[in-house]
Amino acid sequence: MQTHSPDAQGRELGRPPARPATQSLRDLLDVSDDFAAALAHRLEVNLTDLDAMQHLIMAGPLSPSALAKRVGLSTAAMTTAIDRLEAVGHVRRRANPDDRRSVLVEARPESRQRAMGLLMPMIGAVDAVLDDFDEHDQRVITRYLSRVVETYRGHSARLGAPHAPEAAGR
């Protein structure tokens, strides 16, 4: 078993060398996972259910099968997740006005408000970090992050991601 201890230059053994910006992106992914776990805990849901809630909040009402596709779950697993979210008051099912034989799942307004109340301070604080940079630096940062996102998308597609990020609204 390989351990990850720093070498003489402070790099972690067993990991490919990375420049500071790339290491910061790794750290961002880690802290993002930590934030999602804390948010899920505060909303009293698991990470899968949080993912479903995020799609409902961003996209609006969805059929259970459309939601399952976005989250990357089977329809049976999504039904279980919707049942859990409904039981704790985060979502409700309603008749689909375009097809009365089907249902739509929607985030309850009070749940949406609670989730956004927890998210918006973090989003605002992250956005405010850009105030420390002039317009030129902001364009460089944006260009760099956009290229990183495209790189991730390309590698996800190459690996055969179970659902496309664009289709999932991410």
Side-chain angles (χ1 to χ4, degrees):
M1 184 159 107
Q2 190 171 21
T3 60
H4 295 289
S5 58
D7 68 5
Q9 286 77 38
R11 294 178 299 215
E12 298 247 352
L13 298 177
R15 289 189 178 183
R19 290 179 272 182
T22 303
Q23 183 58 50
S24 290
L25 281 173
R26 287 181 184 165
D27 294 343
L28 176 62
L29 292 172
D30 289 343
V31 75
S32 179
D33 289 346
D34 294 344
F35 181 81
L39 182 60
H41 177 75
R42 286 288 300 271
L43 294 172
E44 302 173 8
V45 298
N46 64 37
L47 290 172
T48 299
D49 296 354
L50 179 65
D51 193 20
M53 284 180 61
Q54 288 175 303
H55 285 282
L56 292 169
I57 288 169
M58 297 307 293
L62 295 167
S63 70
S65 60
L67 184 56
K69 187 173 185 173
R70 285 172 174 255
V71 176
L73 293 177
S74 68
T75 53
M78 182 50 61
T79 296
T80 301
I82 293 167
D83 289 344
R84 284 191 305 263
L85 287 167
E86 196 170 38
V88 294
H90 287 300
V91 303
R92 65 178 161 222
R93 291 174 169 103
R94 65 174 172 88
N96 183 341
D98 298 328
D99 179 0
R100 302 241 355 158
R101 297 169 295 169
S102 67
V103 298
L104 294 175
V105 181
E106 63 185 359
R108 289 184 169 277
E110 57 276 12
S111 179
R112 177 191 315 266
Q113 186 175 9
R114 183 174 171 211
M116 294 308 287
L118 294 168
L119 277 171
M120 290 312 294
M122 185 274 302
I123 292 170
V126 167
D127 191 62
V129 170
L130 286 170
D131 295 339
D132 293 340
F133 299 92
D134 64 31
E135 287 184 35
H136 174 263
D137 288 345
Q138 288 182 34
R139 285 191 301 275
V140 170
I141 292 165
T142 300
R143 190 172 73 238
Y144 171 71
L145 291 173
S146 294
R147 290 182 64 188
V148 167
V149 167
E150 289 306 314
T151 299
Y152 263 88
R153 283 188 178 135
H155 283 273
S156 293
R158 184 178 59 81
L159 293 173
H163 57 288
E166 297 85 3
R170 292 185 183 171

